[in-house]
């Protein structure tokens, strides 16, 4: 009789990933990671053929964000979410643009989707938070490996150290990535996107009226952040243009964000699941302190 796999815990509270992933600045980082994922022809084909990102972009984004937050802040729910995602991807297969068969759960493809988070978090933090120290980078990578285990990825399918990661990453950039159909859509400022269908009714009605005016600048900002927060070597591998002027603008934007975001109250600075997790950790800490005093 085979034994059930031991449950996998999410990254620990108070770690580097705990601080980065729940901060609202992470919302600016995620499009770069997504675009880097779908630059792999197999991943891009899977999203092109099986995702509802064109017909339900806001719902797709909301579900993806909640899933990512569960990997890190979900506690016992994290492993269940990892299993749900694997079950969801079992039927995702087909042929990519080069006529090659793909399956979403192929370790090379599934691991690449996971792997993109580390270089994007590392690069984007330099602009929006602060550059990570070498020790923090190593800690972030170790915590991101833990996320991979939550997603059901075997250690043998993930580089086990930073020293192993960078050669793997550069090989994928050199041998695999390209400007897939989905990449081109994600950075196309003329791509049609419907107005948001989430939130209070009055807000949705106002946005629907103003959407023809709001969409063009929002689309330009989306492209600017997507390309700018992607690591330069990945940007070059995919063939995305980035000018010195844009780099200077991103640095100016980052300076403003680094000043303003830490001033926000917790209810505005952190995403909902991160806020809940932070409250629970503080509550548990107070309970432990109360028990110690009682003793």
């Amino acid at each position: 009789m085979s034994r059930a796999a031991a449950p996998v815990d999410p990254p620990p509270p108070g770690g580097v990933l705990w601080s980065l992933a729940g901060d609202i600045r992470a919302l600016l980082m995620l499009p770069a990671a997504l675009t880097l994922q779908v630059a792999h022809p197999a991943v891009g084909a899977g999203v092109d053929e099986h995702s509802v990102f064109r017909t339900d972009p806001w719902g797709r984004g909301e579900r993806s964000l909640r899933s990512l937050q569960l990997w890190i802040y979900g506690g016992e729910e994290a492993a269940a979410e990892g299993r749900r995602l694997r079950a969801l991807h079992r039927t995702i297969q087909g042929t990519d643009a080069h006529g090659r068969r793909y399956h979403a759960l192929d370790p090379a493809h599934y691991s690449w989707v996971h792997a993109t988070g580390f270089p994007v978090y590392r690069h984007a933090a330099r602009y929006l938070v602060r550059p990570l120290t070498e020790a923090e980078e190593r800690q972030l990578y170790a915590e991101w490996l833990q996320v991979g285990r939550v997603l059901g990825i075997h250690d043998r399918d993930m580089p086990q150290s930073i020293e192993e990661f960078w050669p793997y990453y550069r090989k994928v950039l050199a041998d695999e990535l390209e400007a897939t159909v989905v990449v081109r859509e994600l950075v196309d400022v003329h791509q049609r996107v419907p107005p948001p269908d989430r939130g209070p009714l009055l807000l949705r009605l106002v946005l629907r009226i103003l959407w023809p005016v709001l969409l063009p600048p929002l689309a330009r900002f989306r492209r600017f952040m997507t390309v700018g927060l992607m690591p330069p070597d990945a940007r070059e591998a995919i063939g995305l243009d980035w000018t010195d002027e844009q780099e200077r603008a991103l640095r100016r934007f980052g300076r403003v964000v680094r000043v303003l975001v830490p001033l926000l109250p917790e209810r505005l600075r952190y995403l909902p699941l991160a806020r809940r997790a932070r409250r629970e950790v503080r509550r548990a800490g107070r309970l432990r302190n109360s028990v110690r005093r009682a003793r």
Side-chain angles (χ1 to χ4, degrees):
M1 174 185 280
S2 62
R3 291 183 300 175
V8 179
D9 294 325
V16 177
L17 189 55
W18 178 275
S19 300
L20 282 176
D23 190 296
I24 58 169
R25 287 171 282 192
L27 296 175
L28 298 174
M29 304 177 189
L30 296 179
L34 173 60
T35 305
L36 188 52
Q37 291 168 12
V38 298
H40 191 294
V43 180
V47 171
D48 184 28
E49 296 173 4
H50 298 275
S51 175
V52 296
F53 81 98
R54 294 184 182 97
T55 57
D56 183 24
W58 300 103
R60 177 70 172 83
E62 182 181 63
R63 292 188 294 273
S64 295
L65 179 61
R66 174 174 171 76
S67 181
L68 188 154
Q69 295 284 292
L70 282 173
W71 309 343
I72 300 163
Y73 304 103
E76 295 181 356
E77 296 179 72
E81 177 63 11
R83 292 191 295 271
R84 185 191 73 83
L85 286 176
R86 291 190 72 85
L88 183 68
H89 285 80
R90 283 195 188 108
T91 59
I92 297 178
Q93 55 187 310
T95 305
D96 70 16
H98 301 283
R100 300 172 299 201
R101 296 290 300 171
Y102 71 84
H103 192 289
L105 292 181
D106 183 305
H109 307 152
Y110 209 61
S111 296
W112 173 250
V113 171
H114 162 259
T116 57
F118 171 68
V120 170
Y121 275 131
R122 173 182 175 269
H123 179 67
R126 296 177 177 179
Y127 295 90
L128 304 180
V129 185
R130 60 174 175 78
L132 301 178
T133 65
E134 181 181 350
E136 287 170 333
E137 285 188 13
R138 290 183 178 278
Q139 183 180 349
L140 174 61
Y141 189 72
E143 292 169 357
W144 198 243
L145 283 178
Q146 191 66 7
V147 169
R149 296 177 189 118
V150 166
L151 295 175
I153 303 174
H154 296 294
D155 278 359
R156 65 175 178 267
D157 296 319
M158 298 184 290
Q160 291 298 292
S161 68
I162 286 183
E163 287 77 12
E164 294 178 13
F165 175 80
W166 292 118
Y168 153 77
Y169 168 77
R170 294 185 186 107
K171 181 172 174 55
V172 176
L173 295 191
D175 297 346
E176 299 284 349
L177 299 196
E178 60 185 46
T180 63
V181 170
V182 182
V183 166
R184 294 195 295 271
E185 288 188 30
L186 291 178
V187 298
D188 182 1
V189 297
H190 302 295
Q191 188 71 22
R192 296 185 62 182
V193 178
D197 57 3
R198 301 295 195 275
L201 176 61
L202 179 59
L203 177 61
R204 282 184 279 139
L205 291 175
V206 170
L207 287 174
R208 187 177 303 170
I209 294 170
L210 296 178
W211 199 239
V213 176
L214 294 176
L215 180 57
L218 287 174
R220 290 192 295 271
F221 180 72
R222 179 191 64 190
R223 178 189 169 92
F224 174 72
M225 298 306 300
T226 299
V227 180
L229 294 182
M230 187 178 294
D233 50 2
R235 189 192 301 149
E236 182 178 353
I238 301 172
L240 299 175
D241 294 330
W242 186 251
T243 67
D244 291 342
E245 182 180 356
Q246 288 173 313
E247 179 66 20
R248 289 191 292 271
L250 181 59
R251 291 175 184 271
R252 290 193 298 270
F253 177 78
R255 285 195 291 270
V256 173
V257 168
R258 290 197 302 271
V259 171
L260 293 182
V261 172
L263 300 177
L264 296 174
E266 185 167 296
R267 69 179 184 278
L268 298 178
R269 179 175 174 180
Y270 293 99
L271 299 169
L273 285 178
R275 289 201 307 271
R276 185 187 74 181
R278 291 169 66 87
R279 284 197 303 269
E280 291 175 352
V281 166
R282 287 196 296 268
R283 190 179 301 121
R286 288 194 295 268
L287 179 60
R288 284 194 296 270
N289 290 336
S290 298
V291 170
R292 290 192 191 101
R293 286 194 294 269
R295 288 175 180 172

